[in-house]
Every structure is written in C-alpha cells, then in structure tokens.
Amino acid sequence: MIHDVLIIGSGAAGLTAALALAETRKVLVLAKGSLTGGSTAWAQGGIAAVLDTGDTFENHIRDTMVAGAGLNRRETVEYVIEQAPGSIQRLVDLGVPFNGTGSDLHLTREGGHSHRRIVHVDDATGWAVQEALLNAAMAHDNITLLPGRACIDLITGRNAERYSGSGRIWGAYAADESTGKVEAHVARATILAAGGAGRCYRFSTAPRGATGDGIAMAWRAGARVANMEFMQFHPTCLYNLEVKNFLITEAVRGEGGHLLHPETGRRFMPDYDERGELAPRDIVARAIDDQIKRYGLDFVNLDISHRPPEFVREHFPTIHDKLLGLGIDMTRQPIPVVPAQHYTCGGVIVDLDARTDLPGLWAAGECTESGLHGANRLASNSLLECFVFGEAAARDINSCWTDLDEPPAIREWDESRVTHSDEEVVIKQNWTEIRRFMWNYVGIVRSTKRLERAARRIDLLGREIDEYYGAFRVTTDLIELRNLHQCAELIVRSALSRHESRGLHFTLDYPETDPVARDTVLVP
Ligand SMILES: Cc1cc2nc3c(=O)[nH]c(=O)nc-3n(C[C@H](O)[C@H](O)[C@H](O)COP(=O)(O)OP(=O)(O)OC[C@H]3O[C@@H](n4cnc5c(N)ncnc54)[C@H](O)[C@@H]3O)c2cc1C
C-alpha cells in the first residue's frame, strides 16, 4: 500500500511530525517493538524553553553554545530556541500536565543553564509527553500506527522495478516482528525519527532498541553523517548485571554522597577536581572511568550512608525502594555505579527544514545532527529538538508536496536465497563483543591506540556480520546487530579523525582544543 508519508519512529520527533502532517496527509508510523519503546518515554528532567521574565533567548543560546564547546551551528541554535515557547504551548494544548498552571508553568534549573527554564511533569516528563502525543495520534483518522515493525533499509531508486540510480527515497522495507514477513512500505515522503545509538555501549541509559537503526539506514542509502564521536555519558548508573540502565540521580552527590574506590574505600574525586563530587558531569565521568581503567575495576561505589537514614529515605524514595528490591540498602551500604552512555549528539545531517542529503528523506530527533548540540548536549535541549524538527519536517513536506513525484513500482523483498539461521549464538556473541570493546576502547577517555584496536575488531566483525546477513532470514536481533556494528564503525572513524579534545571527545593523544571548531563529516 502506498502512503503519503512514512514516519519511522513513534517517539517525540516522529509523533510530532505525524500530528503536524495529519490535517492534510495520510501518515503511516512504524515502530520497532511497542509504540512507547523509545527514549522519549524515559526522559525524566524536562524540556528547556525561555519562559521566565528574567530570562532571554540570548541567555539560552549562550548556554547551549558553551555546552557545545563552540561546535554548534549558531543558526540552528537560534532557530530551535526561538521556537521553544511555541512548542511547549502545543504540548500544553495537547494536554501535557506540566507542573504549574496556565502561563505560570513551574520551571526547574539544570546543570549548564544560567536560568530556571525547564518545564516538567514531576520527574517523569517523557512519559507524560509520550502519552499525550500517542493519544492524539491514535485519535486521528489520518494516522495509522503500526508497532512491531523493524525497518531494515530505506527503499531507493535501486529497489524500483525500473532500476534508477538516483538517491530518491521511497519508504522502507520492514520486518513484521511477529511473523518475520518483510514488507515494502512505500511513500512519497519519508521521515526518519528512529532515535539514538546508545546501545553501542555496554552501559547505557537508553532503551534496548536504541541501536542507531535510523543513522545506519540513512548512511547505507547514501546520506552524510556527522559528529558521531560525541557521545554523552551520565556519570552514575547503577552497576547491576540484571538492571542495566537505572540512573542514580546527580542529586545523591549534591546531597553529600561520596565516590569511593570499591576495594580500599578511598574517596578519589578530590584527586581530580577541587570541587570533589560536585565537579561537572564530564569531569566526574572521566574520573570514574580513570579509576575503573587504572585499577581494572568493574565499578566504583557511591556512598551516602553517612547521612541520617531518614534523610536518605526522604530525599530519594524511588531510588531507595528500587535498590532495596535489589538487596542494596543505601542508608547503610554504598551503591555500585558506573558511568553510562546517555545521549547520541551526532547523526544524519539535516538542515533547518529537517531535510537530509537524500531527496524524499527528512529526519528529526536524536538520530540527527542538526547543529543544535555541537560537541556536547545541554540538558533538556534534546526533547525540544524533536518537537522543533518534527514540526519543521512536516511544514517542509507540505510546502513542497506538489513537487513530490508518485512512487514508482517497488520490488518485493527477495528472500529466495536465505534460510533460517541455526546459529543464533553468533548474533548474541557479536552484539556483546561490540558493546564491550566500545565501552573499553571508545568510551569516555580515548587514545589513538585504543581506537585503532576497536577499528580492527570492527573490521573483522563486519565481514562475519555481512556473511551472516547475506545467508539468513532477518530477525530484529540481526537487524539491530548490523546497525549497531555500522554505528560503531562511524563512531570510531569519527573519533580517529578528530585530532583534538573538545566537548565530549577526550583523547590522551590530543588533549588540547583547536582554535577553530570543525564538524566531523563522513561521506558515504
Ligand atoms: C533515561 C533518559 C532520560 C532522558 N531525560 C531527558 C530529559 O529530561 N530531557 C530531554 O530533553 N531529553 C532527555 N533524554 C533524551 C531524550 O529522551 C531523547 O533524546 C528523545 O526522547 C529522542 O526522541 P526521538 O523521537 O528522537 O527518539 P525515541 O523516543 O528514542 O524514539 C525512537 C523511535 O524509533 C523507533 N525505531 C527505532 N529503530 C527502528 C526501526 N529499525 N524500525 C522501526 N522503528 C524504529 C522506536 O521504536 C521508537 O519508536 C533522556 C534520555 C534517556 C535515555
């Protein structure tokens, strides 16, 4: 079936675009797993916007550029920040129950922001936003939502019955996750909103499906990708082999928690920064990483047991209860923590209209590099980027609709030469291997030697994965492995080509920052 617009992803970016298009177009939204399975539902803090009378756009722009270490595209930063109040108003209109009332929304302050400017719904903003967008999308006759569809590749002119070498995109091939059947979802316009690539790392706060599928698909289809070396790490995620992505809020350190070597019990943060545990996120993450690598540790301890038990229980009720369920009483014991990947700053290059390099393909949200974040994301700017670029893609598609051709006849997915795999273990083994060496060699502190080690392994695994992909029927695990590998390759290649330390990219071989900021642009 041919749709007006195909959207890959049902998070903040995808659903914003869907709702903005649905007045005039028939929209199909595909999601891997459940419709609420992306990062959007997990966002805790909130959304940044200049809403306080004492605040200005210029302040927000400056804070964003300082965080981004000068690599941001000023034009994008201005555009997004000026659109922010309007985006928040649209969410209010959709019924998102932000704390505060009417024009007097409650604003919190987060690291790196010089003013109070974060609107939120308690500490579960993402869930409230996801729910409101989804309810509105489900109620709209022009929007079809199909969960359980794992997109494999974008459809290009090469997949047309009458072969064309043009890079025009005509939708995507997707596997039905319950039957395994692959279908061509053909559309006049396609929007990628498939989220980040956090799962390239052994520890990540991102959901299971954040395997960089959108970035990898766009790259394979011929779109440029930029700044993939800039991966943001949260300093303290619970170290637990069962519960892989439970964040321990920075407030535990703010309220006096100490970071300790797990064997000697020595407090190590004062060795790295005079502010101790209250040093900025990146410094704390780097210090923990250094301890882990230097002493061959699995984790370090975060200890707040020296504060009165009632104080700890009262301030951190959710964390306290969660940990107790795992056998850790934080009023009496330290919490094992590791830094964890948290946000993918780089991605598919888009302009202010959310256009990618490829005709017929737009992109929005965490899978993109729009120029907003530069070398480091300012907290709570990422959901905002999803709303602004989701809207931008919809507006641009509407404005050029009459110029978009009808799709040609597209070839069916060819499964005649593949069989069912009898060695699923290969997928699990490779997946684990990638995430481990990315963590150990391409993590918070890098060196050329470590990056080259990772590059050699990526090369080796690439051949194995290609062979496997060519011989067996696709499953979601295989699709994800292929994309994880592709993104790992893009991250390492980008990191190797940056001969300086800037923002989130810190390398022992080039510790200085160059006077001129340059994007790392990879061309397929
Ligand atoms: C724990 C946590 C806390 C955060 N807190 C904040 C915060 O307070 N403020 C803030 O601004 N940001 C926060 N972020 C970041 C923010 O949540 C994300 O950047 C944002 O939600 C990304 O939205 P998205 O629409 O781009 O992608 P997502 O919400 O991740 O959605 C991706 C969608 O793509 C689909 N998809 C992926 N691959 C495929 C495929 N192959 N085929 C079909 N569909 C596919 C998924 O199923 C999903 O529907 C947080 C992130 C995490 C993990």
Side-chain angles (χ1 to χ4, degrees):
M1 182 175 167
I2 297 174
H3 299 269
D4 287 346
V5 184
L6 169 70
I7 299 180
I8 303 172
S10 60
L15 292 182
T16 300
L19 288 167
L21 280 161
E23 291 314 309
T24 46
R25 313 280 158 228
K26 293 259 182 221
V27 182
L28 172 67
V29 180
L30 299 181
K32 192 169 65 172
S34 83
L35 291 168
T36 56
S39 291
T40 297
W42 296 36
Q44 297 170 340
I47 308 158
V50 173
L51 296 169
D52 189 33
T53 40
D55 199 5
T56 62
F57 286 146
E58 194 48 45
N59 288 336
H60 192 180
I61 292 166
R62 193 182 51 242
D63 293 345
T64 301
M65 305 277 292
V66 168
L71 197 68
N72 325 61
R73 226 172 295 147
R74 174 140 188 137
E75 187 194 17
T76 310
V77 178
E78 284 175 6
Y79 174 69
V80 173
I81 284 167
E82 286 168 15
Q83 304 283 321
S87 295
I88 302 297
Q89 186 54 49
R90 276 189 284 282
L91 293 171
V92 171
D93 295 344
L94 279 177
V96 177
F98 289 118
N99 291 43
T101 47
S103 59
D104 199 18
L105 295 180
H106 180 260
L107 303 172
T108 57
R109 191 162 166 175
E110 285 187 338
H113 288 274
S114 57
H115 278 77
R116 286 188 168 270
R117 63 168 77 101
I118 318 296
V119 298
H120 63 106
V121 183
D122 300 327
D123 60 354
T125 310
W127 182 254
V129 167
Q130 177 81 63
E131 201 176 29
L133 290 170
L134 201 51
N135 286 342
M138 286 193 293
H140 210 298
D141 287 344
N142 275 349
I143 300 178
T144 305
L145 296 154
L146 275 187
R149 301 296 193 284
C151 292
I152 305 166
D153 265 319
L154 295 167
I155 295 171
T156 68
R158 290 189 295 255
N159 306 112
E161 293 280 359
R162 288 187 55 193
Y163 178 95
S164 122
S166 90
R168 175 70 160 92
I169 300 299
W170 299 109
Y173 290 109
D176 181 325
E177 293 180 294
S178 53
T179 63
K181 188 172 171 0
V182 178
E183 275 182 301
H185 297 275
V186 180
R188 247 158 102 159
T190 303
I191 304 178
L192 261 187
R199 285 279 152 169
C200 283
Y201 287 89
R202 184 174 174 212
F203 297 101
S204 170
T205 63
R208 164 75 172 65
T211 46
D213 297 2
I215 299 169
M217 283 190 282
W219 171 259
R220 284 194 294 267
R224 285 172 309 154
V225 161
N227 295 345
M228 287 298 288
E229 68 273 40
F230 298 111
M231 278 287 171
Q232 191 175 66
F233 289 81
H234 192 285
T236 53
C237 178
L238 175 70
Y239 176 79
N240 181 299
L241 296 180
E242 302 302 315
V243 182
K244 291 224 171 71
N245 42 17
F246 186 63
L247 274 189
I248 308 293
T249 164
E250 300 191 48
V252 173
R253 282 182 284 121
E255 295 298 342
H258 291 158
L259 284 162
L260 309 175
H261 187 289
E263 285 151 20
T264 64
R266 188 169 174 280
R267 193 178 156 209
F268 57 81
M269 267 318 296
D271 301 344
Y272 295 90
D273 194 286
E274 59 193 16
R275 290 162 289 188
E277 282 79 1
L278 299 179
R281 239 184 212 194
D282 298 358
I283 294 177
V284 177
R286 247 174 247 154
I288 298 175
D289 185 73
D290 185 50
Q291 291 281 307
I292 287 176
K293 292 229 169 67
R294 189 184 296 234
Y295 298 106
L297 306 171
D298 285 327
F299 58 86
V300 299
N301 279 333
L302 175 59
D303 188 16
I304 194 163
S305 63
H306 49 279
R307 307 284 327 245
E310 321 73 73
F311 174 89
V312 174
R313 277 194 291 268
E314 197 183 303
H315 276 73
F316 308 108
T318 317
I319 297 177
H320 174 264
D321 290 355
K322 172 87 179 180
L323 292 176
L324 216 51
L326 296 167
I328 302 166
D329 180 354
M330 70 187 284
T331 66
R332 295 192 298 122
Q333 290 168 281
I335 311 163
V337 292
V338 281
Q341 188 285 345
H342 191 49
Y343 186 78
T344 310
C345 290
V348 183
I349 296 179
V350 289
D351 67 12
L352 292 186
D353 293 321
R355 284 186 185 207
T356 69
D357 290 338
L358 305 176
L361 183 69
W362 285 255
E366 196 169 333
C367 65
T368 67
E369 155 50 46
S370 68
L372 175 65
H373 306 302
N376 193 356
R377 169 191 74 134
L378 180 65
S380 290
N381 267 356
S382 36
L383 279 171
L384 178 59
E385 185 187 37
C386 295
F387 306 128
V388 172
F389 280 91
E391 289 269 345
R395 199 172 42 243
D396 193 51
I397 289 170
N398 269 331
S399 71
C400 66
W401 187 253
T402 47
D403 300 333
L404 298 174
D405 295 334
E406 284 287 339
I410 297 297
R411 275 185 277 130
E412 294 292 309
W413 185 256
D414 180 8
E415 283 193 318
S416 58
R417 281 169 296 171
V418 293
T419 60
H420 283 293
S421 160
D422 55 358
E423 278 205 278
E424 291 290 325
V425 66
V426 172
I427 295 182
K428 194 162 180 208
Q429 165 64 29
N430 287 347
W431 172 289
T432 309
E433 208 173 317
I434 292 174
R435 298 184 66 210
R436 268 182 189 271
F437 70 66
M438 288 299 286
W439 180 253
N440 289 330
Y441 299 152
V442 198
I444 297 163
V445 177
R446 297 160 180 177
S447 70
T448 304
K449 203 160 74 184
R450 287 179 195 162
L451 292 172
E452 283 170 352
R453 271 191 202 127
R456 281 196 292 275
R457 281 161 178 77
I458 287 172
D459 191 37
L460 210 73
L461 287 180
R463 276 174 267 157
E464 201 170 300
I465 293 168
D466 280 349
E467 234 171 70
Y468 194 92
Y469 179 77
F472 298 114
R473 285 218 159 82
V474 288
T475 59
T476 304
D477 283 349
L478 177 55
I479 293 167
E480 291 183 337
L481 172 66
R482 182 173 174 239
N483 294 329
L484 208 69
H485 174 269
Q486 181 61 75
C487 287
E489 201 251 333
L490 296 171
I491 296 167
V492 172
R493 212 196 301 173
S494 304
L496 271 170
S497 69
R498 185 167 290 279
H499 292 173
E500 62 161 351
S501 291
R502 181 185 297 274
L504 297 164
H505 176 72
F506 183 81
T507 161
L508 298 169
D509 294 293
Y510 304 97
E512 307 297 329
T513 304
D514 286 349
V516 181
R518 283 188 199 86
D519 290 318
T520 309
V521 178
L522 301 180
V523 183

